């Protein structure tokens, strides 16, 4: 038995090459960009680089081995410049590498049209794919990790057809919500415990408990996203949309890493995903560290509003839900007007990227607190987890000193305006211009460098 397992860890697998070609039409590029930013960029672009040239996968448990996301730039040898569309399609659809080995990355069952759109975006001239000559380090299983991965997966890729997978009609339907949850955003894999390719069809689907590492190296268990009291019970559609799109939980805290931000998600997708998760059987699983668990009497911060006539979260799935859209204030309008059209960067020291979907300006910011304790805010809003000394994105803080105060204010409040795939939450609803300016001044003065080091 041991010999079989050892042989399986090093063996190749059989998976077909989908006959799918990159679609470079304008509509496909927009769709492909939205999916890539949401589902691919967080792993393949390191926090200190501008390209999808690969990054260490610290989120995976260290006992499994050392893993590194691939270089997806257009470089002919270090990247995917010489990789065929069919090879890329196989990697995405079956999680099988060019040399035929099963990878730890998710396998995506997205339809042919969406897969072609992703390939088209990866073949585009977007700055993310600017050639990077440095190859990504090879991922290596530990002895225990290799045995476990081989045993759980059976060293067999997921079974799905190579071509002919349809994309359901887009709309606020359960069918489209299921498609987004399982095949595009892959919520099911991350929010279901274990590594089995079949786990997303068992009774624990969406109940949480999958182990990851956060940016400080601490273990994080994925949340229960069924509508049980230990999960998303009492979350409104607006709560849900803000959390998954902007990275802000109903209590005003930042959604825990490594949860990505689905910046390109529109109202139809949000409603479809929300209603689909509500249609699933509630699963009791009080995941340690998950937050917030809401009650029927939970008092949301003042900036969270619900439109008159909105459906409560326990209403039937078929009932309409309305997202509030209060009028913009002068401060929010001025901040929006001052944002440069070609702005951009994942951090204040980065180079411009192509513009992506603009963040919503539908909620008024809070009044400025006075005086502003910038150091406290930096910790309260989760900035320290990523930007304190020793954290994954701390290097960005030193580059921030070279940016103007106004640029930093805009970056703090609306980071997705500068880089659609950034994991940084959108703080526009929590920080008005004056408060963000105080925080920017503290950052420029070197405040983050004075904080305690992140634990790894």
């Amino acid at each position: 038995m041991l010999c079989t397992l050892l042989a399986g860890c090093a063996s190749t697998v059989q998976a077909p090459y989908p006959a799918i070609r990159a679609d470079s039409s304008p509509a496909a590029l927009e769709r492909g960009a939205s999916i890539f930013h949401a589902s691919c960029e967080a792993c393949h672009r390191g926090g200190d680089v501008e390209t999808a040239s690969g990054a260490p996968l610290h989120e995976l448990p260290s006992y499994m081995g050392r893993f590194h996301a691939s270089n997806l730039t257009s470089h002919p040898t270090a990247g995917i410049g010489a990789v065929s569309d069919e090879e890329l399609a196989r990697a995405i659809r079956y999680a099988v590498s060019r040399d035929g080995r099963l990878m730890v990355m998710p396998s995506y069952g997205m339809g042919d049209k969406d897969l072609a759109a992703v390939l088209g975006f990866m073949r585009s001239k977007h700055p993310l794919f600017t050639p990077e000559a440095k190859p990504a380090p090879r991922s290596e299983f530990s002895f225990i990790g290799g045995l476990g991965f081989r045993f759980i997966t059976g060293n067999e890729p997921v079974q799905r057809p190579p071509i002919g997978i349809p994309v359901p009609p887009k709309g606020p339907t359960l069918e489209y919500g299921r498609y987004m949850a399982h095949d595009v955003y892959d919520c099911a894999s991350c929010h279901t415990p274990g590594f089995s390719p079949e786990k997303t069809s068992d009774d624990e689907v969406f109940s949480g408990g999958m182990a990851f590492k956060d940016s400080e190296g601490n273990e994080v268990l994925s949340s229960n996203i069924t509508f049980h009291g230990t999960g998303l019970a009492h979350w409104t559609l607006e709560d849900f949309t803000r959390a998954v799109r902007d990275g802000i939980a109903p209590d005003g805290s930042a959604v825990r890493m490594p949860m990505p931000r689905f910046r390109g998600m529109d109202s139809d997708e949000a409603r479809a995903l929300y209603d689909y998760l509500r249609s699933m059987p509630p699963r009791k699983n009080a995941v340690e560290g998950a937050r917030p668990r809401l009650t029927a009497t939970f008092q949301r911060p003042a900036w969270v509003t619900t439109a008159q006539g909105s459906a409560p979260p326990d209403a039937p799935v078929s009932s309409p839900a309305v997202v509030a859209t209060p009028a913009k204030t002068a401060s929010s309008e001025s901040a929006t007007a001052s944002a440069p059209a070609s702005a951009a960067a994942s951090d204040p020291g980065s180079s411009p990227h192509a513009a992506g979907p603009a963040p919503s300006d539908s909620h008024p910011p809070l009044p400025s607190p006075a005086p502003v304790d910038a150091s406290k805010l930096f910790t309260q809003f989760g900035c320290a987890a990523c930007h304190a000394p020793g954290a994954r994105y701390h290097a960005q803080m030193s580059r921030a000193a070279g940016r103007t105060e106004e640029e930093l204010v805009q970056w703090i409040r609306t980071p997705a305006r500068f880089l659609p795939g950034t994991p940084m939450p959108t703080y526009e609803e929590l920080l008005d211009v004056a408060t963000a300016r105080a925080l920017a001044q503290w950052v420029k003065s070197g405040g983050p460098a004075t904080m305690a080091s992140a634990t790894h």
Side-chain angles (χ1 to χ4, degrees), residues 249-263:
D251 62 355
S253 63
V255 173
R256 302 175 303 161
M257 296 293 286
M259 171 71 185
R261 285 56 165 128
F262 301 135
R263 305 289 190 181

Side-chain angles (χ1 to χ4, degrees), residues 246-309:
D246 298 332
I248 301 294
D251 62 355
S253 63
V255 173
R256 302 175 303 161
M257 296 293 286
M259 171 71 185
R261 285 56 165 128
F262 301 135
R263 305 289 190 181
M265 186 178 68
D266 62 25
S267 58
D268 278 350
E269 291 176 337
R271 174 63 185 275
L273 190 56
Y274 177 81
D275 279 355
Y276 172 68
L277 291 174
R278 281 203 297 155
S279 75
M280 298 298 291
R283 306 291 185 190
K284 182 178 180 180
N285 186 17
V287 176
E288 182 180 358
R291 68 178 195 278
R293 297 189 184 101
L294 308 187
T295 64
T297 58
F298 175 77
Q299 295 296 311
R300 290 164 177 76
W303 52 273
V304 177
T305 58
T306 304
Q308 187 174 7

Side-chain angles (χ1 to χ4, degrees), residues 329-339 406 433:
T329 63
S331 59
S332 65
E333 288 178 340
S334 63
T336 302
S338 61
E406 193 60 33
V433 173

